[in-house]
Amino acid sequence: MKAKSGSVAEMTTAKPSLVVVGNGMAGMRTVEELLKLAPDLYDITVFGAEPHGNYNRIMLSPVLAGDKSIDDIMLNPRAWYDEHGITLHAGDPVVQIDRRQRTVHAQSGLAVKYDRLLLATGSTPFIIPVPGHQLPGVIAFRDIQDVDTMLQAARTHRHAVVIGGGLLGLEAANGLMRQGMDVTVVHVTDALMNQQLDKPAAALLKKALEDKGLRFLLNAHTDEIVGPDRVTAVRFKDGSSIPADLVVMTAGVRPNIALAKSAGLHCERAIIVDDTLQTYDPRIYAVGECVQHRKATFGLVAPIWDQARVCGAHLAGAGHRRYVQQATATKLKVTGVDLYSAGDFIGGEDTEDLVVRDPRRGIYKRLVLRGSRLIGAVLYGDVKDGPWYFDLIQSGRDISAFRRELPFGQAMCQHAA
């Protein structure tokens, strides 16, 4: 009898198991939030596709540009997992989830049972499926391996073509140029960073980057990537072509939902979650670029940190928080170019713009107002008031008292108010 009661005691003291699929920023930030609230609640096992600890993916651009090393951008080195009693299986992605048995199966054949499962599978770069897209020398800009490939190419090759003139594309182009390559950015619309900038700011940005040595082809539709056994050129729909030894695709990402879908979880563009970041299976949560919350998907860090805070609290059993989407801000990390945009900077029929242009100093500001509220901002050349404008957008504060001074920044407005 004694032995029996002992075994029951052992069973009741066993910790529940939390398995995290994805060793990136969203998943590990959620684990950090959980550890703050309930450090001893779970036995935690983490599976990651890459053979490293968790690193800051946003800082890959400075690594490419030569301003930082891989060690500089590590967020959670392997020692961190050991310190917190977390089992890390790096370089061993999960390939199947068995929800009935509550087990995940990894590529290596390893199977681990879970009581709670956190999906943080991120997103996959969209490789434009034109002829030649599988040639050696055609890559995405997503992980440490991609940066290594680019740095190697810069040592032995000259011509780089970056397809996609958004935030990531411009950062990749700048990094490759800093490594000594001739770089052309190919963009399908008539304005760079069209998701984050209005036309006048995009034109200022293009000129500043051209002055640094980058070349641009706008309204350019890639038709084929050419090469016998490695890329040699990029050909466009109009029949023209440019030489290329390296092609970097930065034409957007797609949420990584194959694993969730095959497990029967409800997905649309991404994994559907509620305000607690729970999927349709109450044992399974999801955070980051792989989730869809109230029709929206996410690529910026600020909303993902908010998701991590909410999800970590619910996993810890302190579940009163709700995830609420907020306006987001964008900053460009290209040396010598100051750029900031936030909120709804396009506006509509019921909005008005306050615009300041100082071409001589290369300054442009556009603030979008709806009634007495600031709803959007684009700043170029002078971005020091960006966070203050962002705060006004998020708080919805009435700006009537300093409306006239608003374009001239916080100091002037505080004086007026």
Side-chain angles (χ1 to χ4, degrees):
M1 288 299 285
K2 275 183 180 173
K4 250 187 180 171
S5 64
S7 63
V8 170
E10 277 166 26
M11 280 167 61
T12 52
T13 54
K15 290 182 189 177
S17 160
L18 169 66
V19 173
V20 184
V21 179
N23 185 33
M25 293 168 74
M28 288 312 95
R29 184 60 168 247
T30 306
V31 170
E32 286 175 1
E33 295 288 345
L34 163 65
L35 292 173
K36 279 184 210 166
L37 296 168
D40 300 313
L41 184 56
Y42 293 100
D43 273 329
I44 302 174
T45 305
V46 177
F47 288 89
E50 291 184 69
H52 320 278
N54 169 37
Y55 62 91
N56 187 341
R57 206 179 286 283
I58 298 155
M59 298 305 283
L60 285 171
S61 301
V63 173
L64 177 62
D67 296 333
K68 293 221 178 299
S69 71
I70 294 296
D71 284 347
D72 292 336
I73 70 167
M74 277 291 159
L75 294 171
N76 305 103
R78 284 175 182 269
W80 177 84
Y81 298 83
D82 297 337
E83 277 164 37
H84 292 88
I86 296 168
T87 305
L88 171 64
H89 299 289
D92 191 13
V94 169
V95 292
Q96 191 205 343
I97 298 165
D98 183 337
R99 283 167 56 211
R100 190 170 290 157
Q101 298 290 329
R102 296 209 307 272
T103 304
V104 301
H105 298 269
Q107 202 168 55
S108 63
L110 182 68
V112 177
K113 278 191 137 3
Y114 67 83
D115 295 292
R116 289 283 179 275
L117 182 62
L118 174 61
L119 299 179
T121 49
S123 60
T124 310
F126 177 61
I127 302 295
I128 303 167
V130 292
H133 72 276
Q134 289 166 319
L135 281 171
V138 180
I139 61 164
F141 180 22
R142 181 70 190 163
D143 56 30
I144 288 173
Q145 179 63 53
D146 294 330
V147 172
D148 283 345
T149 305
M150 286 192 244
L151 291 173
Q152 270 179 316
R155 284 186 210 112
T156 53
H157 293 93
R158 183 166 166 216
H159 297 288
V161 173
V162 176
I163 298 178
L167 195 60
L168 196 61
L170 296 182
E171 289 179 0
N174 179 65
L176 289 167
M177 185 180 67
R178 295 268 302 276
Q179 294 294 341
M181 295 191 86
D182 286 342
V183 186
T184 303
V185 177
V186 173
H187 194 49
V188 73
T189 75
D190 63 349
L192 297 174
M193 285 183 67
N194 46 295
Q195 302 283 314
Q196 290 91 6
L197 295 182
D198 61 3
K199 292 263 175 81
L204 284 169
L205 174 64
K206 178 171 177 275
K207 183 177 182 325
L209 294 175
E210 281 172 339
D211 290 347
K212 283 172 167 290
L214 287 175
R215 278 190 296 277
F216 295 95
L217 290 176
L218 302 182
N219 286 322
H221 297 262
T222 304
D223 202 35
E224 185 185 359
I225 295 166
V226 184
D229 44 20
R230 184 190 165 91
V231 57
T232 57
V234 175
R235 187 173 295 136
F236 303 103
K237 285 234 161 75
D238 64 3
S240 65
S241 64
I242 55 172
D245 310 303
L246 175 73
V247 174
V248 183
M249 295 257 191
T250 59
V253 295
R254 299 285 182 272
N256 234 331
I257 60 171
L259 187 67
K261 250 185 149 162
S262 66
L265 290 174
H266 185 42
C267 299
E268 286 175 6
R269 271 186 312 151
I271 304 165
I272 305 287
V273 293
D274 65 14
D275 292 351
T276 70
L277 283 309
Q278 201 175 62
T279 68
Y280 275 52
D281 180 331
R283 289 181 180 273
I284 303 178
Y285 290 78
V287 289
E289 292 183 322
C290 64
V291 308
Q292 181 175 327
H293 172 262
R294 298 177 182 253
K295 300 289 178 203
T297 55
F298 308 88
L300 295 171
V301 162
I304 290 171
W305 276 186
D306 289 344
Q307 290 173 14
R309 242 187 325 275
V310 172
C311 187
H314 283 275
L315 285 169
H320 55 275
R321 296 180 184 174
R322 292 283 179 270
Y323 173 61
V324 179
Q325 290 175 32
Q326 307 269 13
T328 53
T330 302
K331 212 170 183 232
L332 183 66
K333 294 188 293 293
V334 170
T335 322
V337 175
D338 290 320
L339 190 61
Y340 191 96
S341 74
D344 174 9
F345 54 82
I346 299 299
E349 286 181 11
D350 60 340
T351 64
E352 87 181 271
D353 294 353
L354 302 180
V355 178
V356 175
R357 280 191 180 86
D358 184 342
R360 203 168 49 78
R361 288 167 60 219
I363 288 172
Y364 169 82
K365 293 183 185 181
R366 176 158 167 256
L367 305 175
V368 183
L369 303 179
R370 181 175 286 126
S372 57
R373 308 262 185 278
L374 179 66
I375 62 162
V378 177
L379 312 177
Y380 183 94
D382 176 7
V383 298
K384 66 177 182 299
D385 286 306
W388 181 67
Y389 288 131
F390 185 46
D391 192 49
L392 289 178
I393 292 167
Q394 283 196 301
S395 65
R397 186 176 155 199
D398 187 321
I399 52 92
S400 309
F402 47 86
R403 182 190 189 96
R404 214 178 45 195
E405 290 77 16
L406 195 63
F408 304 103
Q410 185 174 10
M412 286 282 278
C413 291
Q414 282 173 339
H415 193 64

